[in-house]
Amino acid sequence: MNICVAGLQWGDEGKGKVVDVLAERSDIVVRYGGGSNAGHTVVIGDSRFALHLLPSGSIRKDVTCVIANAVVLDPEVLISEIDGLTERGISLEGRLWISENTHVVLDYHKREDQLREESLGKHKIGTTIRGIGPCYADKVGRSYAVRMGDFRDLKALKAKLDTILAYKNKLFGALYDAEPVEAEAIFEKCQAYAARLVPFTTDTTEFLHTSIAAGKSILFEGAQGSLLDLDHGTFPFVTSSNSSSLGLPSGCGVPARMVDKYIGVIKAYTTRVGAGPFPTEQDNEVGDFIREAGNEYGTTTGRPRRCGWFDGVAAAYGVKIGSVDSLVLLHLDTLTGLKELKVCKAYEIDGQEKTFFPANIDRLAQAKPVYETLPGWDDDITEVTTFDALPAKAQAYVQRVEEIVGRPVEMIGVGPKRSQTIVRQ
Ligand code: GDP
Ligand code: IMO
Ligand code: MG
């Protein structure tokens, strides 16, 4: 069985936890997009792992991990992740494959990300400054891109970097009056990256097709979420890749029809980091309650996340564009203690009720959420292991989310730990 796990909101839905749980029954876990802007958390007992580039299946020692072509890879981050896991007794030797076509994020991409954000002032996107946008822009532009396969020929890479830095330095100087970046310094780092990462580099498309033909089961791990998708999200307040599951086929070379099941991950409420419209945002004591109870601070940047009520219109949109079969609903425990819970089931735009999410931000900015109010519960649910043992009001909340979003919830999170997961029969 090949399964895709993708977020249906603005990221941080808890994909890392879900992938870790499902990886138990998978041979291979594939990251098919995004870069070190992602922060995927896995908590096992008292151990916490925050992964940015390695697939969340990497914690399980018998799982093979693939970083596919559409990822933008920051070698510094990946090497420190590999070393960090190795120090904790989890080696990646012989079970990590990186696509030779994967584009490489280098220091000048992070510099460009930062310079552009600073220059935009109040119009900034609120990126993670991980060089994601500039690296994808170089990929689309083609002439100044570095891919993992380039690390195999250091002489050619040196010449390429000289050309790239001559171009970038003219740009940085003219646009931002910034200091030049030394090509030599970047090349020195690249030599070290090559020594470490070339042994992991291969044709991952061939590897995946060979594995599928051999009957291996593959788990595809989405990064970010549907609403941050470059084409289908809330542009321009999005990331620079197709971060919905629509990015899977081009992201790793496996066609959508070879995936047996698409799982959409949602939180029991909604969060967003960075700028952009967010109709159900609660910039008040409700939002503060959720942020503290759910520890809603970014895994990658530590930024406080914006918090709000569950948005059924937004989640249902993710279901439609992502051909989602079933849902995983996390952070149900975070809502414990709120007297009343609101769920958005439609938007009112220009006096009309709409249930199809308008990704256009001008229309979205006008959307007034139409809420339904449900009663909250007080009982601690963090030790609950079956759906039937949840308080009736928590069960009713989950059932209403299912009705609004239109798909069954097959797994529920009642805490960050791997063990705090209810699997519905
Ligand atoms: P991802 O980017 O989608 O993998 O999500 P993040 O790891 O960025 O953020 C999710 C956060 O919620 C992490 O800190 C997880 O440990 C935590 N988490 C996941 N599921 C649950 C849950 O059911 N309850 C609670 N309280 N925390 C959860
Ligand atoms: P995971 O995989 C939440 C957001 C940034 C910003 C916008 C563009 O952990 O769910 P970028 O650095 O990609 O150019 O920033 O996208 N963003 C995320 N928000 N979770 C993520 O990843 C995100 N990756 C990017 O905050 O608003
Ligand atoms: Mg995250």
Side-chain angles (χ1 to χ4, degrees), residues 11-17 38-43 48 56 224 267 293-296 299 305 329-334 412-417 420:
D12 302 326
E13 296 88 351
K15 299 173 292 293
K17 172 178 169 169
H40 297 176
T41 318
V42 175
V43 185
R48 181 178 178 276
S56 300
Q224 290 82 47
K267 276 196 273 217
N295 190 25
E296 291 294 355
T299 309
R305 294 174 181 150
L329 184 143
L330 297 174
H331 277 272
L332 190 62
D333 55 299
T334 298
I412 297 167
V414 291
K417 292 182 187 172
Q420 288 174 304

Side-chain angles (χ1 to χ4, degrees), residues 77-314:
V77 175
L78 181 64
I79 291 168
S80 90
E81 245 166 61
I82 293 172
D83 291 347
L85 285 192
T86 307
E87 274 166 29
R88 295 169 80 170
I90 304 168
S91 167
L92 270 302
E93 281 311 315
R95 62 180 189 101
L96 170 66
W97 296 113
I98 304 168
S99 167
E100 58 200 352
N101 295 341
T102 300
H103 285 250
V104 180
V105 176
L106 294 168
D107 286 349
Y108 53 84
H109 292 119
K110 291 178 257 190
R111 187 89 184 280
E112 194 172 343
D113 202 352
Q114 182 176 13
L115 289 168
R116 188 181 305 172
E117 281 284 271
E118 281 169 8
S119 76
L120 284 168
K122 68 177 171 49
H123 299 294
K124 70 177 183 181
I125 291 167
T127 74
T128 58
I129 320 281
R130 297 298 189 268
I132 306 300
C135 186
Y136 278 119
D138 283 348
K139 170 180 173 175
V140 176
R142 296 156 296 168
S143 309
Y144 300 107
V146 176
R147 303 198 293 175
M148 286 302 294
D150 291 325
F151 283 162
R152 291 185 183 130
D153 182 347
L154 289 173
K155 200 164 157 242
L157 179 63
K158 170 88 178 73
K160 194 176 223 186
L161 284 172
D162 285 341
T163 311
I164 293 174
L165 267 306
Y167 166 78
K168 293 277 177 189
N169 283 333
K170 266 193 212 151
L171 210 67
F172 292 175
L175 291 177
Y176 310 113
D177 202 17
E179 291 290 308
V181 178
E182 287 295 327
E184 191 55 38
I186 304 274
F187 179 65
E188 269 175 36
K189 286 189 178 183
C190 284
Q191 283 178 296
Y193 301 152
R196 289 293 307 274
L197 298 179
V198 164
F200 295 109
T201 307
T202 192
D203 180 342
T204 53
T205 308
E206 180 180 357
F207 174 74
L208 289 174
H209 279 272
T210 308
S211 302
I212 290 170
K216 303 283 185 202
S217 58
I218 306 187
L219 188 57
F220 299 90
E221 175 175 358
Q224 290 82 47
S226 306
L227 305 176
L228 288 171
D229 187 289
L230 178 61
D231 286 284
H232 301 282
T234 52
F235 190 91
F237 301 105
V238 291
T239 190
S240 301
S241 62
N242 287 123
S243 56
S244 68
S245 59
L246 288 168
L248 186 158
S250 58
C252 66
V254 174
R257 65 192 288 179
M258 284 182 152
V259 181
D260 303 296
K261 187 175 179 184
Y262 287 85
I263 295 178
V265 187
I266 51 176
K267 276 196 273 217
Y269 45 90
T270 313
T271 65
R272 163 159 222 179
V273 218
F278 176 1
T280 63
E281 182 169 17
Q282 298 298 302
D283 191 11
N284 54 32
E285 64 284 358
V286 171
D288 294 344
F289 176 97
I290 292 173
R291 188 175 309 105
E292 294 317 311
N295 190 25
E296 291 294 355
Y297 294 88
T299 309
T300 298
T301 59
R303 288 180 290 180
R305 294 174 181 150
R306 298 159 66 191
C307 299
W309 295 121
F310 181 76
D311 187 337
V313 181

Side-chain angles (χ1 to χ4, degrees), residues 40-58:
H40 297 176
T41 318
V42 175
V43 185
I44 305 158
D46 293 330
S47 303
R48 181 178 178 276
F49 301 86
L51 301 166
H52 303 284
L53 281 166
L54 283 173
S56 300
S58 55

Side-chain angles (χ1 to χ4, degrees), residues 368-381:
K368 289 195 198 84
V370 179
Y371 287 117
E372 186 170 311
T373 303
L374 297 162
W377 58 91
D378 281 322
D379 324 52
D380 179 359
I381 60 170

